[in-house]
Amino acid sequence: MSVEVPTLASLQAQGKKAAVVFWVGCAGSFDDRAKKITKAFVKILNHTQTSFAVLGTEESCTGDPAKRAGNEFLFQMQALQNISTLDSYGVTKIVTTCPHCFNTLKNEYPELGGHYKVMHHTQFLKSLIKEGSLKVEGGSYKGKRITYHDPCYLGRANKIFEAPRELIKKLDAELVEMKACKTKGLCCGAGGAQMFKDAEEGDKEINIERTEQALDTQAEIIAAACPFCNTMMTDGIKNKKQEDEVKIMDVAELIANANNL
């Protein structure tokens, strides 16, 4: 089934504007696993008849990895280019499936002149349910044990803890918390550009420690809300040889699957 994804440029050519811009992000654009999250979210946007568009080839990296790795000059170059593009289309509202993009666009672009209302996709999905355009039933997830991993840039950095949990509860699933969650959530290891470098010396990789905490809950599904977390937790599950027993799913995928989209 083809997925309809309008671009801002194509809408402008038709004299139209989108109510919200879906910022796909590097992972959602190029990583094979993260592309599935992107498609799931787009299916929900189409299903709810949300007026949205993407930048397409005009979208560049937000600059988050460069900034976390200490290259402030490169970050500002990337950010200013994106701000120029967004402002040329008169963008006011952005939604993204990546907490890294979310945090950077929301908290670091304003000081460079980029002022937008930025929402994480779990917040946006919650708003769609509240306004009545999205209805969620448990479906195949009813009664399943699901644990949720708090992404650092969504949870501790931006205090968004409840939106993803409320969505999981809408599935009529049993939400089981890890011993380190919410304000005490443990990083999966992908933050701060860790995903792009070798680990420092130590006894254990941090994503293995986090995976062990998730497995301790005896959950059938580890719900994530970040493509980087998804990768790190998937690697952890493979390390533990549990990939046939435990699935790593983004909250958007759970919602889309439950609605048979």
Side-chain angles (χ1 to χ4, degrees):
M1 186 183 81
S2 62
V3 181
E4 291 295 318
V5 186
T7 63
L8 284 171
S10 66
L11 288 183
Q12 188 179 66
Q14 300 168 45
K16 300 177 182 177
K17 285 190 72 173
V20 62
V21 170
F22 171 28
W23 187 278
V24 182
C26 300
S29 299
F30 302 113
D31 180 82
D32 286 342
R33 177 63 185 90
K35 285 179 191 175
K36 295 177 182 178
I37 300 169
T38 301
K39 288 178 181 176
F41 187 56
V42 166
K43 285 176 182 177
I44 296 170
L45 293 175
N46 284 328
H47 173 69
T48 55
Q49 298 183 329
T50 299
S51 167
F52 82 101
V54 299
L55 278 167
T57 55
E58 290 185 276
E59 181 187 300
S60 175
C61 178
T62 60
D64 170 77
K67 189 175 183 74
R68 303 305 154 217
N71 194 335
E72 181 68 21
F73 178 69
L74 178 57
F75 160 70
Q76 291 199 17
M77 280 179 60
Q78 292 176 306
L80 290 169
Q81 179 185 331
N82 285 323
I83 290 168
S84 175
T85 303
L86 289 166
D87 289 353
S88 72
Y89 287 110
V91 172
T92 57
K93 190 174 180 180
I94 301 172
V95 61
T96 179
T97 53
C98 176
H100 294 252
C101 295
F102 167 76
N103 180 69
T104 304
L105 291 166
K106 179 177 182 288
N107 298 322
E108 290 166 353
Y109 272 33
E111 64 185 27
L112 296 173
H115 299 276
Y116 318 102
K117 181 179 180 182
V118 186
M119 298 180 76
H120 184 256
H121 73 304
T122 56
Q123 294 176 299
F124 192 77
L125 291 172
K126 181 184 171 183
S127 71
L128 291 177
I129 291 172
K130 187 176 181 180
E131 68 187 31
S133 59
L134 176 63
K135 291 180 173 58
V136 180
E137 294 181 6
S140 60
Y141 298 115
K142 187 172 183 177
K144 295 259 185 177
R145 281 176 71 87
I146 300 177
T147 192
Y148 171 69
H149 164 73
D150 287 284
C152 294
Y153 283 109
L154 188 64
R156 286 178 299 151
N158 285 284
K159 305 295 184 283
I160 298 171
F161 301 111
E162 297 310 320
R165 286 174 169 83
E166 288 175 27
L167 293 171
I168 292 168
K169 290 174 184 174
K170 289 283 185 185
L171 299 169
D172 296 327
E174 180 188 358
L175 177 62
V176 286
E177 296 286 4
M178 291 181 238
K179 64 180 181 182
C181 64
K182 299 186 179 179
T183 55
K184 295 181 179 178
L186 182 69
C187 178
C188 71
Q194 283 291 101
M195 193 160 151
F196 309 105
K197 59 186 275 296
D198 292 331
E200 292 82 2
E201 289 185 22
D203 298 327
K204 189 190 296 182
E205 294 270 14
I206 191 169
N207 66 314
I208 303 301
E209 175 72 21
R210 188 55 166 165
T211 299
E212 289 172 354
Q213 292 181 1
L215 292 175
D216 284 345
T217 66
Q218 297 183 314
E220 299 163 78
I221 297 167
I222 300 172
C226 170
F228 295 106
C229 294
N230 195 302
T231 296
M232 300 299 277
M233 297 303 284
T234 298
D235 287 349
I237 289 295
K238 287 178 180 175
N239 176 272
K240 294 294 181 180
K241 297 181 169 53
Q242 294 287 310
E243 58 263 45
D244 292 333
E245 288 76 29
V246 181
K247 302 301 178 192
I248 316 292
M249 303 283 288
D250 187 88
V251 175
E253 293 178 303
L254 295 172
I255 299 293
N257 291 346
N259 284 32
N260 296 311
L261 300 182

